[in-house]
Amino acid sequence: MTATGASEGVGARGAPIGGPWWWARRRSAVLDASLAAASTVECLLEGVSFAHGAHLPELLGALLGVLVGPVLLVRRRWPVVVVLVSIAVMPAEMGGLLSVVGLYTLAASDVPRRITALLAGMTVTGTLVTTFLSMRQDIASQPDFNPPVWLVPVMALALGVVLTAPPVLWGLYVGARRRLVESLRERADGLERELSLLADRAEERAEWARNEERTRIAREMHDVVAHRVSLMVVHAAALQAVALKDPEKASKNAALVGDMGRQALTELREMLGVLRTAEGSAVRGTAGADVPERLAAVASGVRAREAAEGDRGLAGDQGRDPERGRSVVEVSSGEGDPDGPGLDDLGDLVGQSRAAGMVVELSVAGGEGESESVRPRYGARVERAVYRVVQEALTNVHKHAPGARARVRLAHREGELAVQVENGPCDGGAADAGLPSGGNGLVGMRERVTALGGVFVSGPTDGGGFRVSAVLPAPRPAPRVVG
């Protein structure tokens, strides 16, 4: 709204203009037309009366009334104009309804309050002067009536206040109430938008969490299944080489390896089926909230079967420590998971690779200067990450460097745990098992290490081999010996 009271693009109540001309609703137009008609009739009669008293042509007074009365039609668009017209015709003693409705509309509009106060003061002054002069003329025309001197000014002032104050006060109240309702409506709309945005963000966070969980379990399954399948393929290649020397034994071992391979592939298909189901649910718009639980069940089953098979298989003669009741220096750096592999299982892991024909050396440095039977313990996530790094690195040696020598180094340092797996160049005389590579091994290792705040480095060595190194933060508070 401009300084003259002109509304720009909105109706009197701040609503978008949808009715005829500047009216927001049709009933508002009907109301203003009715008020304009009533004001026209009033101004017409008062104009004729004024013209008769002033000895002017009555047609002139009627014409003035017809021109002034319809001004109420624009009261919602230009309330200042309506009030100014009512003040202008006060000397003709016409426009009472025009003045009252104009003041109400002006006070209820968004016109600055100083303009409203100025026009209201001008209306009071005009009414006061007009009433004072009219009453003096009436008293002068009646010689027998001698009222007190103060009566005329008091009556003029009272009439001016009565005709001005109520419409102005009522308009201010209605305008304040309207603005309050609009502010509450805007606040409610804003809260609704914020709630919608929060709901969208919550859904995005939930979807992100589901994707992260699926990625984590898929990575776990990759480490478990890929390593075991790689060893099976290596064993199968070796069995093929000795098949002519001992056919019966080679046949039995080949059947065992085949059964293990089929079981591993079944587990892999289960995981992929869960992931595809989750992806299809996401495309259809369903939540898929039970996907992480299903994937966790698959991974837990794989770990349980792998542990059972490891206890029955090569671990008996490939370096498993028989002293399960030894003292352990327990150092906690996180919540443990008894089902997951840790540092104690590195010997079994190296033993499996040795059984497949690889020459692997395992060395451990640090460990508080204790004997080899005393092993430090860390958080389950740290130990599992180290185990998976070694596992994937040895799997890559089987795939890409058959016959190469490998060395696994584990170092217990102050506040960190370091691991390095390095292999030499490929032995040209070794048979290549033809293992496929998906290219996800190094990526998975890096994700595991960086997720724990560690550093991961990999790359070729000067001697033609390959080196994988990882350093993980592992705070070690004062150890306590557990018997």
Side-chain angles (χ1 to χ4, degrees):
M1 180 171 286
T2 63
T4 61
S7 301
E8 297 179 354
V10 294
R13 296 181 181 274
I17 295 177
W21 293 351
W22 50 81
W23 288 284
R25 292 179 297 271
R26 186 175 299 275
R27 65 179 183 179
S28 299
V30 173
L31 175 61
D32 288 354
S34 301
L35 291 175
S39 176
T40 301
V41 172
E42 177 198 9
C43 292
L44 177 63
L45 297 177
E46 291 176 346
V48 173
S49 176
F50 172 74
H52 179 73
H55 304 289
L56 296 173
E58 294 182 356
L59 182 60
L60 182 61
L63 181 59
L64 179 61
V66 170
L67 293 177
V68 171
V71 174
L72 278 180
L73 287 173
V74 299
R75 70 182 184 94
R76 300 176 187 269
R77 184 68 172 175
W78 296 292
V80 174
V81 174
V82 176
V83 176
L84 290 175
V85 171
S86 68
I87 295 174
V89 299
M90 277 185 182
E93 297 181 356
M94 67 171 61
L97 180 61
L98 181 69
S99 176
V100 172
V101 177
L103 287 174
Y104 163 79
T105 306
L106 178 67
S109 67
D110 294 330
V111 174
R113 290 291 167 256
R114 62 180 182 274
I115 297 179
T116 301
L118 176 62
L119 294 179
M122 293 173 60
T123 302
V124 171
T125 303
T127 305
L128 174 63
V129 173
T130 303
T131 304
F132 180 81
L133 295 177
S134 178
M135 291 183 67
R136 287 296 300 269
Q137 290 178 358
D138 293 341
I139 292 175
S141 63
Q142 299 178 7
D144 297 336
F145 183 64
N146 296 315
V149 178
W150 54 268
L151 179 62
V152 175
V154 170
M155 290 296 294
L157 180 62
L159 185 60
V161 172
V162 168
L163 294 178
T164 305
V168 171
L169 294 178
W170 182 251
L172 291 174
Y173 166 74
V174 171
R177 181 176 177 274
R178 181 185 305 149
R179 285 185 288 271
L180 176 61
V181 171
E182 291 176 356
S183 65
L184 292 177
R185 184 182 296 110
E186 292 177 358
R187 184 178 300 178
D189 294 341
L191 290 176
E192 184 178 358
R193 288 192 296 269
E194 290 180 3
L195 289 177
S196 177
L197 182 60
L198 290 176
D200 294 341
R201 290 181 177 176
E203 181 63 25
E204 291 176 0
R205 287 195 296 269
E207 183 64 24
W208 176 84
R210 289 192 291 267
N211 292 335
E212 286 294 315
E213 186 67 10
R214 286 196 292 267
T215 303
R216 182 187 69 82
I217 299 177
R219 188 188 310 121
E220 190 82 10
M221 291 295 294
H222 168 268
D223 293 341
V224 172
V225 178
H227 177 73
R228 186 160 59 178
V229 171
S230 299
L231 291 180
M232 292 175 193
V233 175
V234 173
H235 277 295
L239 290 173
Q240 185 179 7
V242 299
L244 297 178
K245 299 179 181 180
D246 192 351
E248 183 178 357
K249 181 178 179 180
S251 177
K252 293 181 180 180
N253 291 338
L256 177 61
V257 172
D259 292 339
M260 295 175 63
R262 283 187 291 271
Q263 182 181 5
L265 290 176
T266 300
E267 294 165 353
L268 181 60
R269 290 192 184 97
E270 291 178 2
M271 184 203 71
L272 294 177
V274 172
L275 292 178
R276 290 195 184 101
T277 302
E279 182 179 357
S281 300
V283 171
R284 293 190 300 270
T286 56
D290 61 336
V291 172
E293 289 77 4
R294 294 166 60 191
L295 288 172
V298 173
S300 299
V302 171
R303 285 197 296 266
R305 286 192 291 267
E306 185 182 34
E309 292 172 3
D311 290 339
R312 296 192 303 266
L314 298 172
D317 55 355
Q318 292 297 333
R320 181 178 296 275
D321 190 352
E323 298 180 2
R324 286 299 181 184
R326 64 181 180 269
S327 299
V328 178
V329 179
E330 182 181 356
V331 182
S332 299
S333 62
E335 296 182 0
D337 181 4
D339 295 334
L343 298 182
D344 291 340
D345 300 307
L346 288 179
D348 300 341
L349 182 63
V350 172
Q352 294 174 10
S353 294
R354 288 171 179 167
M358 181 189 297
V359 179
V360 187
E361 177 184 352
L362 174 63
S363 62
V364 181
E368 303 274 330
E370 301 288 344
S371 62
E372 294 183 357
S373 62
V374 180
R375 299 183 182 275
R377 296 295 301 273
Y378 301 90
R381 296 182 63 191
V382 174
E383 293 197 5
R384 188 182 303 115
V386 172
Y387 180 90
R388 295 306 185 194
V389 168
V390 175
Q391 183 185 55
E392 182 61 29
L394 293 178
T395 301
N396 289 339
V397 175
H398 284 292
K399 290 181 180 180
H400 306 294
R405 300 173 62 91
R407 183 175 184 181
V408 180
R409 299 183 179 92
L410 183 66
H412 303 278
R413 302 172 183 172
E414 185 65 29
E416 63 183 18
L417 179 63
V419 62
Q420 183 182 92
V421 180
E422 182 179 353
N423 64 274
C426 176
D427 186 0
D432 189 355
L435 293 169
S437 176
N440 297 319
L442 293 177
V443 175
M445 286 190 282
R446 184 181 302 277
E447 290 177 351
R448 284 184 180 276
V449 174
T450 56
L452 298 177
V455 178
F456 178 83
V457 179
S458 63
T461 62
D462 296 336
F466 199 84
R467 180 186 298 116
V468 172
S469 302
V471 180
L472 291 91
R476 300 180 54 197
R480 60 185 180 91
V481 178
V482 180

